[in-house]
Amino acid sequence: MFDWLKNKFLTGSRYSYLIRWGKGHEKNLLIGLVLTLGFLIGLGTGLLMNSNQVSPIIIDKNIKVGLLEPENYGTGDTNSSKINASFGNFVASINGKAYYPKDCKSANVIKEENRIWFENAEEAEADGYRPAQNCPVNK
């Protein structure tokens, strides 16, 4: 019952057993060695290329869509009831599909950094926005 165990460990040294096993698996060992070295070289190169400075991730959606920054952007002003009239007469969220008149209460809910402004309703509709159902739009 334990003949295979005797043959494996009791006849000869463990070193000679490993040598015999290795000769039978030379190709697999070589492939594993090459893959391991490739991984370590790639990891080392990535670590060398990476600077030690941690840079913050900044997502500014207004810059992504080519809009100007509002004056109070980034100042921590959270008073959302103030909408700057110099940006336009209609406002929409860059994450939404509806546009609102600037004096609509729902327009005040849109975060300042997500607002996109339009001069008129036709301009908003040309960009793919539809009129909001809860705020009437006078064209």
Side-chain angles (χ1 to χ4, degrees):
M1 181 172 167
F2 293 104
D3 290 335
W4 65 271
L5 186 63
K6 287 180 185 176
N7 290 336
K8 194 175 270 192
F9 293 107
L10 299 178
T11 56
S13 68
R14 290 182 184 174
Y15 177 74
S16 64
Y17 170 74
L18 287 176
I19 296 297
R20 283 193 316 270
W21 182 85
K23 286 183 181 179
H25 295 89
E26 285 177 349
K27 187 176 180 181
N28 292 339
L29 289 172
L30 183 62
I31 291 171
L33 180 66
V34 168
L35 289 175
T36 303
L37 285 175
F39 170 76
L40 292 174
I41 289 171
L43 181 66
T45 303
L47 291 174
L48 287 174
M49 300 289 268
N50 186 14
S51 66
N52 292 334
Q53 298 175 355
V54 178
S55 59
I57 298 173
I58 300 172
I59 300 173
D60 190 349
K61 294 178 183 175
N62 285 336
I63 290 175
K64 182 174 81 174
V65 294
L67 300 175
L68 299 173
E69 284 189 3
E71 286 97 23
N72 61 350
Y73 181 75
T75 60
D77 183 11
T78 58
N79 187 358
S80 60
S81 65
K82 292 193 287 186
I83 297 179
N84 192 342
S86 66
F87 285 108
N89 296 320
F90 295 93
V91 64
S93 171
I94 60 174
N95 299 319
K97 297 186 187 295
Y99 66 91
Y100 307 87
K102 66 181 177 186
D103 55 351
C104 176
K105 288 184 179 181
S106 296
N108 293 335
V109 177
I110 302 171
K111 290 183 182 178
E112 187 69 35
E113 63 266 16
N114 292 335
R115 291 180 185 173
I116 183 170
W117 291 91
F118 302 102
E119 287 297 322
N120 52 44
E122 290 79 19
E123 184 182 345
E125 290 173 6
D127 275 357
Y129 291 92
R130 59 172 170 68
Q133 294 179 350
N134 59 341
C135 292
V137 176
N138 298 328
K139 291 185 181 180

PDB file of all heavy atoms in Angstrom, residues 21 23 25 48-49 52-53 57 60 71-72 78 80 83-85 88-89 106-107 112 114 116 128 130-131 134 138:
ATOM      1  N   TRP A  21      12.869  14.474 -11.174  1.00  0.00           N
ATOM      2  CA  TRP A  21      11.590  15.133 -11.499  1.00  0.00           C
ATOM      3  C   TRP A  21      11.824  16.344 -12.396  1.00  0.00           C
ATOM      4  O   TRP A  21      11.094  16.564 -13.355  1.00  0.00           O
ATOM      5  CB  TRP A  21      10.897  15.564 -10.205  1.00  0.00           C
ATOM      6  CG  TRP A  21       9.555  16.213 -10.448  1.00  0.00           C
ATOM      7  CD1 TRP A  21       8.376  15.584 -10.596  1.00  0.00           C
ATOM      8  CD2 TRP A  21       9.295  17.610 -10.601  1.00  0.00           C
ATOM      9  NE1 TRP A  21       7.372  16.496 -10.823  1.00  0.00           N
ATOM     10  CE2 TRP A  21       7.917  17.760 -10.829  1.00  0.00           C
ATOM     11  CE3 TRP A  21      10.088  18.750 -10.574  1.00  0.00           C
ATOM     12  CZ2 TRP A  21       7.324  18.987 -11.035  1.00  0.00           C
ATOM     13  CZ3 TRP A  21       9.489  19.975 -10.774  1.00  0.00           C
ATOM     14  CH2 TRP A  21       8.118  20.086 -11.001  1.00  0.00           C
ATOM     15  N   LYS A  23      14.256  16.905 -14.517  1.00  0.00           N
ATOM     16  CA  LYS A  23      14.635  16.533 -15.876  1.00  0.00           C
ATOM     17  C   LYS A  23      13.422  16.148 -16.710  1.00  0.00           C
ATOM     18  O   LYS A  23      13.401  16.353 -17.916  1.00  0.00           O
ATOM     19  CB  LYS A  23      15.644  15.388 -15.837  1.00  0.00           C
ATOM     20  CG  LYS A  23      17.013  15.838 -15.406  1.00  0.00           C
ATOM     21  CD  LYS A  23      18.012  14.710 -15.447  1.00  0.00           C
ATOM     22  CE  LYS A  23      19.364  15.233 -14.988  1.00  0.00           C
ATOM     23  NZ  LYS A  23      20.373  14.176 -14.991  1.00  0.00           N
ATOM     24  N   HIS A  25      10.524  17.582 -16.391  1.00  0.00           N
ATOM     25  CA  HIS A  25       9.662  18.765 -16.539  1.00  0.00           C
ATOM     26  C   HIS A  25      10.463  20.004 -16.929  1.00  0.00           C
ATOM     27  O   HIS A  25      10.086  21.128 -16.584  1.00  0.00           O
ATOM     28  CB  HIS A  25       8.910  19.026 -15.225  1.00  0.00           C
ATOM     29  CG  HIS A  25       7.955  17.951 -14.861  1.00  0.00           C
ATOM     30  ND1 HIS A  25       8.316  16.858 -14.110  1.00  0.00           N
ATOM     31  CD2 HIS A  25       6.644  17.780 -15.176  1.00  0.00           C
ATOM     32  CE1 HIS A  25       7.275  16.068 -13.948  1.00  0.00           C
ATOM     33  NE2 HIS A  25       6.242  16.607 -14.584  1.00  0.00           N
ATOM     34  N   LEU A  48       9.517  51.812 -11.190  1.00  0.00           N
ATOM     35  CA  LEU A  48      10.540  52.820 -11.469  1.00  0.00           C
ATOM     36  C   LEU A  48       9.959  54.013 -12.211  1.00  0.00           C
ATOM     37  O   LEU A  48      10.381  55.154 -11.995  1.00  0.00           O
ATOM     38  CB  LEU A  48      11.680  52.207 -12.287  1.00  0.00           C
ATOM     39  CG  LEU A  48      12.615  51.273 -11.532  1.00  0.00           C
ATOM     40  CD1 LEU A  48      13.599  50.638 -12.497  1.00  0.00           C
ATOM     41  CD2 LEU A  48      13.360  52.007 -10.436  1.00  0.00           C
ATOM     42  N   MET A  49       9.007  53.761 -13.095  1.00  0.00           N
ATOM     43  CA  MET A  49       8.415  54.848 -13.876  1.00  0.00           C
ATOM     44  C   MET A  49       7.476  55.702 -13.037  1.00  0.00           C
ATOM     45  O   MET A  49       7.289  56.871 -13.315  1.00  0.00           O
ATOM     46  CB  MET A  49       7.640  54.280 -15.065  1.00  0.00           C
ATOM     47  CG  MET A  49       8.491  53.473 -16.014  1.00  0.00           C
ATOM     48  SD  MET A  49       9.611  54.480 -16.934  1.00  0.00           S
ATOM     49  CE  MET A  49       8.641  54.793 -18.359  1.00  0.00           C
ATOM     50  N   ASN A  52       7.096  59.153  -6.900  1.00  0.00           N
ATOM     51  CA  ASN A  52       6.696  58.984  -5.506  1.00  0.00           C
ATOM     52  C   ASN A  52       5.619  59.972  -5.080  1.00  0.00           C
ATOM     53  O   ASN A  52       5.096  59.880  -3.990  1.00  0.00           O
ATOM     54  CB  ASN A  52       7.915  59.108  -4.590  1.00  0.00           C
ATOM     55  CG  ASN A  52       8.868  57.952  -4.792  1.00  0.00           C
ATOM     56  OD1 ASN A  52       8.460  56.880  -5.196  1.00  0.00           O
ATOM     57  ND2 ASN A  52      10.132  58.176  -4.526  1.00  0.00           N
ATOM     58  N   GLN A  53       5.326  60.950  -5.910  1.00  0.00           N
ATOM     59  CA  GLN A  53       4.317  61.942  -5.573  1.00  0.00           C
ATOM     60  C   GLN A  53       2.933  61.391  -5.927  1.00  0.00           C
ATOM     61  O   GLN A  53       2.720  60.849  -6.996  1.00  0.00           O
ATOM     62  CB  GLN A  53       4.548  63.229  -6.347  1.00  0.00           C
ATOM     63  CG  GLN A  53       5.877  63.880  -6.031  1.00  0.00           C
ATOM     64  CD  GLN A  53       6.111  65.080  -6.921  1.00  0.00           C
ATOM     65  OE1 GLN A  53       5.338  65.366  -7.810  1.00  0.00           O
ATOM     66  NE2 GLN A  53       7.193  65.787  -6.657  1.00  0.00           N
ATOM     67  N   ILE A  57      -6.890  63.043  -8.097  1.00  0.00           N
ATOM     68  CA  ILE A  57      -7.722  62.871  -9.278  1.00  0.00           C
ATOM     69  C   ILE A  57      -8.731  64.014  -9.293  1.00  0.00           C
ATOM     70  O   ILE A  57      -9.510  64.174  -8.359  1.00  0.00           O
ATOM     71  CB  ILE A  57      -8.442  61.520  -9.249  1.00  0.00           C
ATOM     72  CG1 ILE A  57      -7.421  60.396  -9.269  1.00  0.00           C
ATOM     73  CG2 ILE A  57      -9.419  61.400 -10.416  1.00  0.00           C
ATOM     74  CD1 ILE A  57      -8.033  59.032  -9.084  1.00  0.00           C
ATOM     75  N   ASP A  60     -13.235  67.588 -13.743  1.00  0.00           N
ATOM     76  CA  ASP A  60     -13.939  68.835 -13.985  1.00  0.00           C
ATOM     77  C   ASP A  60     -14.722  68.665 -15.278  1.00  0.00           C
ATOM     78  O   ASP A  60     -14.176  68.747 -16.369  1.00  0.00           O
ATOM     79  CB  ASP A  60     -12.963  70.010 -14.091  1.00  0.00           C
ATOM     80  CG  ASP A  60     -13.677  71.344 -14.100  1.00  0.00           C
ATOM     81  OD1 ASP A  60     -14.915  71.355 -14.241  1.00  0.00           O
ATOM     82  OD2 ASP A  60     -13.004  72.378 -13.970  1.00  0.00           O
ATOM     83  N   GLU A  71     -17.595  81.983 -11.657  1.00  0.00           N
ATOM     84  CA  GLU A  71     -16.712  82.741 -10.761  1.00  0.00           C
ATOM     85  C   GLU A  71     -16.554  82.088  -9.402  1.00  0.00           C
ATOM     86  O   GLU A  71     -15.497  82.121  -8.806  1.00  0.00           O
ATOM     87  CB  GLU A  71     -17.249  84.175 -10.554  1.00  0.00           C
ATOM     88  CG  GLU A  71     -17.047  85.075 -11.748  1.00  0.00           C
ATOM     89  CD  GLU A  71     -18.293  85.140 -12.605  1.00  0.00           C
ATOM     90  OE1 GLU A  71     -19.404  84.872 -12.085  1.00  0.00           O
ATOM     91  OE2 GLU A  71     -18.166  85.452 -13.784  1.00  0.00           O
ATOM     92  N   ASN A  72     -17.633  81.478  -8.875  1.00  0.00           N
ATOM     93  CA  ASN A  72     -17.558  80.910  -7.528  1.00  0.00           C
ATOM     94  C   ASN A  72     -17.216  79.426  -7.542  1.00  0.00           C
ATOM     95  O   ASN A  72     -17.353  78.756  -6.551  1.00  0.00           O
ATOM     96  CB  ASN A  72     -18.870  81.139  -6.782  1.00  0.00           C
ATOM     97  CG  ASN A  72     -20.046  80.486  -7.464  1.00  0.00           C
ATOM     98  OD1 ASN A  72     -19.927  80.019  -8.587  1.00  0.00           O
ATOM     99  ND2 ASN A  72     -21.184  80.479  -6.802  1.00  0.00           N
ATOM    100  N   THR A  78     -21.708  77.137  -1.282  1.00  0.00           N
ATOM    101  CA  THR A  78     -22.736  76.116  -1.489  1.00  0.00           C
ATOM    102  C   THR A  78     -24.130  76.711  -1.558  1.00  0.00           C
ATOM    103  O   THR A  78     -25.103  75.988  -1.484  1.00  0.00           O
ATOM    104  CB  THR A  78     -22.677  75.086  -0.347  1.00  0.00           C
ATOM    105  OG1 THR A  78     -22.870  75.765   0.894  1.00  0.00           O
ATOM    106  CG2 THR A  78     -21.359  74.342  -0.347  1.00  0.00           C
ATOM    107  N   SER A  80     -26.896  77.352  -3.333  1.00  0.00           N
ATOM    108  CA  SER A  80     -27.356  76.978  -4.660  1.00  0.00           C
ATOM    109  C   SER A  80     -28.535  77.821  -5.131  1.00  0.00           C
ATOM    110  O   SER A  80     -28.982  77.652  -6.243  1.00  0.00           O
ATOM    111  CB  SER A  80     -27.740  75.497  -4.677  1.00  0.00           C
ATOM    112  OG  SER A  80     -28.776  75.267  -3.754  1.00  0.00           O
ATOM    113  N   ILE A  83     -28.054  81.869  -8.873  1.00  0.00           N
ATOM    114  CA  ILE A  83     -27.654  81.452 -10.208  1.00  0.00           C
ATOM    115  C   ILE A  83     -27.203  82.700 -10.943  1.00  0.00           C
ATOM    116  O   ILE A  83     -27.912  83.684 -11.019  1.00  0.00           O
ATOM    117  CB  ILE A  83     -28.805  80.773 -10.965  1.00  0.00           C
ATOM    118  CG1 ILE A  83     -29.218  79.500 -10.239  1.00  0.00           C
ATOM    119  CG2 ILE A  83     -28.418  80.479 -12.389  1.00  0.00           C
ATOM    120  CD1 ILE A  83     -30.355  78.774 -10.909  1.00  0.00           C
ATOM    121  N   ASN A  84     -26.019  82.655 -11.470  1.00  0.00           N
ATOM    122  CA  ASN A  84     -25.446  83.812 -12.141  1.00  0.00           C
ATOM    123  C   ASN A  84     -26.126  84.002 -13.495  1.00  0.00           C
ATOM    124  O   ASN A  84     -26.028  83.168 -14.371  1.00  0.00           O
ATOM    125  CB  ASN A  84     -23.939  83.582 -12.312  1.00  0.00           C
ATOM    126  CG  ASN A  84     -23.229  84.838 -12.721  1.00  0.00           C
ATOM    127  OD1 ASN A  84     -23.839  85.781 -13.201  1.00  0.00           O
ATOM    128  ND2 ASN A  84     -21.934  84.836 -12.544  1.00  0.00           N
ATOM    129  N   ALA A  85     -26.807  85.106 -13.667  1.00  0.00           N
ATOM    130  CA  ALA A  85     -27.568  85.366 -14.879  1.00  0.00           C
ATOM    131  C   ALA A  85     -26.670  85.606 -16.078  1.00  0.00           C
ATOM    132  O   ALA A  85     -27.121  85.546 -17.210  1.00  0.00           O
ATOM    133  CB  ALA A  85     -28.489  86.564 -14.665  1.00  0.00           C
ATOM    134  N   GLY A  88     -26.551  82.622 -18.853  1.00  0.00           N
ATOM    135  CA  GLY A  88     -27.614  82.352 -19.810  1.00  0.00           C
ATOM    136  C   GLY A  88     -28.967  82.347 -19.141  1.00  0.00           C
ATOM    137  O   GLY A  88     -29.098  82.574 -17.946  1.00  0.00           O
ATOM    138  N   ASN A  89     -29.984  82.086 -19.941  1.00  0.00           N
ATOM    139  CA  ASN A  89     -31.355  82.099 -19.446  1.00  0.00           C
ATOM    140  C   ASN A  89     -31.872  80.715 -19.088  1.00  0.00           C
ATOM    141  O   ASN A  89     -32.879  80.589 -18.415  1.00  0.00           O
ATOM    142  CB  ASN A  89     -32.278  82.720 -20.499  1.00  0.00           C
ATOM    143  CG  ASN A  89     -31.931  84.173 -20.731  1.00  0.00           C
ATOM    144  OD1 ASN A  89     -31.623  84.895 -19.797  1.00  0.00           O
ATOM    145  ND2 ASN A  89     -31.959  84.584 -21.988  1.00  0.00           N
ATOM    146  N   SER A 106     -36.133  73.874  -9.449  1.00  0.00           N
ATOM    147  CA  SER A 106     -35.394  72.642  -9.754  1.00  0.00           C
ATOM    148  C   SER A 106     -34.014  72.941 -10.314  1.00  0.00           C
ATOM    149  O   SER A 106     -33.101  72.128 -10.194  1.00  0.00           O
ATOM    150  CB  SER A 106     -36.174  71.789 -10.749  1.00  0.00           C
ATOM    151  OG  SER A 106     -37.392  71.374 -10.172  1.00  0.00           O
ATOM    152  N   ALA A 107     -33.842  74.089 -10.930  1.00  0.00           N
ATOM    153  CA  ALA A 107     -32.522  74.455 -11.460  1.00  0.00           C
ATOM    154  C   ALA A 107     -31.538  74.697 -10.330  1.00  0.00           C
ATOM    155  O   ALA A 107     -30.332  74.508 -10.499  1.00  0.00           O
ATOM    156  CB  ALA A 107     -32.635  75.695 -12.341  1.00  0.00           C
ATOM    157  N   GLU A 112     -23.284  73.328  -8.969  1.00  0.00           N
ATOM    158  CA  GLU A 112     -22.662  74.355  -9.795  1.00  0.00           C
ATOM    159  C   GLU A 112     -21.691  73.767 -10.817  1.00  0.00           C
ATOM    160  O   GLU A 112     -21.657  74.184 -11.969  1.00  0.00           O
ATOM    161  CB  GLU A 112     -21.935  75.369  -8.896  1.00  0.00           C
ATOM    162  CG  GLU A 112     -21.400  76.569  -9.642  1.00  0.00           C
ATOM    163  CD  GLU A 112     -22.490  77.491 -10.157  1.00  0.00           C
ATOM    164  OE1 GLU A 112     -23.511  77.649  -9.481  1.00  0.00           O
ATOM    165  OE2 GLU A 112     -22.305  78.053 -11.247  1.00  0.00           O
ATOM    166  N   ASN A 114     -21.858  70.993 -12.258  1.00  0.00           N
ATOM    167  CA  ASN A 114     -22.541  70.175 -13.258  1.00  0.00           C
ATOM    168  C   ASN A 114     -23.457  70.988 -14.161  1.00  0.00           C
ATOM    169  O   ASN A 114     -24.122  70.426 -15.016  1.00  0.00           O
ATOM    170  CB  ASN A 114     -23.360  69.074 -12.572  1.00  0.00           C
ATOM    171  CG  ASN A 114     -22.497  68.044 -11.900  1.00  0.00           C
ATOM    172  OD1 ASN A 114     -21.351  67.844 -12.276  1.00  0.00           O
ATOM    173  ND2 ASN A 114     -23.035  67.388 -10.901  1.00  0.00           N
ATOM    174  N   ILE A 116     -24.736  73.450 -17.110  1.00  0.00           N
ATOM    175  CA  ILE A 116     -24.412  73.911 -18.446  1.00  0.00           C
ATOM    176  C   ILE A 116     -25.470  74.949 -18.805  1.00  0.00           C
ATOM    177  O   ILE A 116     -26.651  74.753 -18.544  1.00  0.00           O
ATOM    178  CB  ILE A 116     -24.367  72.735 -19.449  1.00  0.00           C
ATOM    179  CG1 ILE A 116     -23.955  73.228 -20.821  1.00  0.00           C
ATOM    180  CG2 ILE A 116     -25.649  71.959 -19.484  1.00  0.00           C
ATOM    181  CD1 ILE A 116     -23.649  72.108 -21.802  1.00  0.00           C
ATOM    182  N   GLY A 128     -29.551  68.541 -27.541  1.00  0.00           N
ATOM    183  CA  GLY A 128     -30.158  67.266 -27.158  1.00  0.00           C
ATOM    184  C   GLY A 128     -30.936  67.292 -25.857  1.00  0.00           C
ATOM    185  O   GLY A 128     -31.369  66.252 -25.382  1.00  0.00           O
ATOM    186  N   ARG A 130     -34.262  68.376 -23.478  1.00  0.00           N
ATOM    187  CA  ARG A 130     -35.691  68.589 -23.646  1.00  0.00           C
ATOM    188  C   ARG A 130     -36.177  69.501 -22.518  1.00  0.00           C
ATOM    189  O   ARG A 130     -35.533  69.575 -21.471  1.00  0.00           O
ATOM    190  CB  ARG A 130     -36.442  67.262 -23.644  1.00  0.00           C
ATOM    191  CG  ARG A 130     -36.244  66.480 -22.373  1.00  0.00           C
ATOM    192  CD  ARG A 130     -37.140  65.267 -22.289  1.00  0.00           C
ATOM    193  NE  ARG A 130     -36.776  64.403 -21.189  1.00  0.00           N
ATOM    194  CZ  ARG A 130     -36.895  64.692 -19.895  1.00  0.00           C
ATOM    195  NH1 ARG A 130     -37.366  65.841 -19.520  1.00  0.00           N
ATOM    196  NH2 ARG A 130     -36.534  63.829 -18.972  1.00  0.00           N
ATOM    197  N   PRO A 131     -37.301  70.163 -22.691  1.00  0.00           N
ATOM    198  CA  PRO A 131     -37.812  71.009 -21.610  1.00  0.00           C
ATOM    199  C   PRO A 131     -38.196  70.176 -20.376  1.00  0.00           C
ATOM    200  O   PRO A 131     -38.714  69.076 -20.522  1.00  0.00           O
ATOM    201  CB  PRO A 131     -39.051  71.670 -22.212  1.00  0.00           C
ATOM    202  CG  PRO A 131     -38.948  71.457 -23.674  1.00  0.00           C
ATOM    203  CD  PRO A 131     -38.112  70.247 -23.896  1.00  0.00           C
ATOM    204  N   ASN A 134     -41.512  69.825 -14.975  1.00  0.00           N
ATOM    205  CA  ASN A 134     -41.978  70.506 -13.775  1.00  0.00           C
ATOM    206  C   ASN A 134     -41.789  72.016 -13.807  1.00  0.00           C
ATOM    207  O   ASN A 134     -42.223  72.706 -12.912  1.00  0.00           O
ATOM    208  CB  ASN A 134     -41.302  69.919 -12.534  1.00  0.00           C
ATOM    209  CG  ASN A 134     -39.787  70.037 -12.599  1.00  0.00           C
ATOM    210  OD1 ASN A 134     -39.226  70.219 -13.662  1.00  0.00           O
ATOM    211  ND2 ASN A 134     -39.148  69.930 -11.466  1.00  0.00           N
ATOM    212  N   ASN A 138     -41.037  79.224 -21.434  1.00  0.00           N
ATOM    213  CA  ASN A 138     -41.633  80.197 -22.352  1.00  0.00           C
ATOM    214  C   ASN A 138     -40.620  80.489 -23.453  1.00  0.00           C
ATOM    215  O   ASN A 138     -39.608  81.118 -23.205  1.00  0.00           O
ATOM    216  CB  ASN A 138     -42.020  81.492 -21.638  1.00  0.00           C
ATOM    217  CG  ASN A 138     -43.069  81.241 -20.576  1.00  0.00           C
ATOM    218  OD1 ASN A 138     -43.905  80.355 -20.728  1.00  0.00           O
ATOM    219  ND2 ASN A 138     -43.022  82.013 -19.504  1.00  0.00           N
TER     220      ASN A 138
END
